[in-house]
Amino acid sequence: MKVGDLVQWYTEYADTVTVDYGLVVELDENKQQPGDAQGAYIHWFSNDGSGWFDTGHPSIGVISESR
């Protein structure tokens, strides 16, 4: 995951499916300890919960990579 990537959030819970799309606008590469997760600031198009997320979050996937 890198700045400019288009990402998708997808979760299923009971009878509810949540899908949102966003752009990675910043990466936090200042890991405090070896093995710490890298963070990405994602601006969600729905404007619901934009913020810092673990780049390995299981509900987030890159759907289009920036060049």
Side-chain angles (χ1 to χ4, degrees):
M1 192 178 293
K2 60 187 179 295
V3 172
D5 284 356
L6 177 64
V7 295
Q8 178 184 45
W9 174 279
Y10 181 90
T11 54
E12 292 181 33
Y13 181 74
D15 293 336
T16 304
V17 173
T18 303
V19 178
D20 198 358
Y21 300 93
L23 287 175
V24 177
V25 295
E26 187 177 350
L27 290 177
D28 176 16
E29 298 181 14
N30 296 321
K31 298 178 184 181
Q32 299 301 314
Q33 300 291 326
D36 281 356
Q38 181 181 24
Y41 191 91
I42 300 174
H43 176 76
W44 297 107
F45 295 159
S46 68
N47 286 324
D48 183 26
S50 295
W52 289 99
F53 294 87
D54 178 350
T55 56
H57 195 289
S59 294
I60 301 173
V62 175
I63 57 173
S64 181
E65 292 184 359
S66 91
R67 294 181 181 223

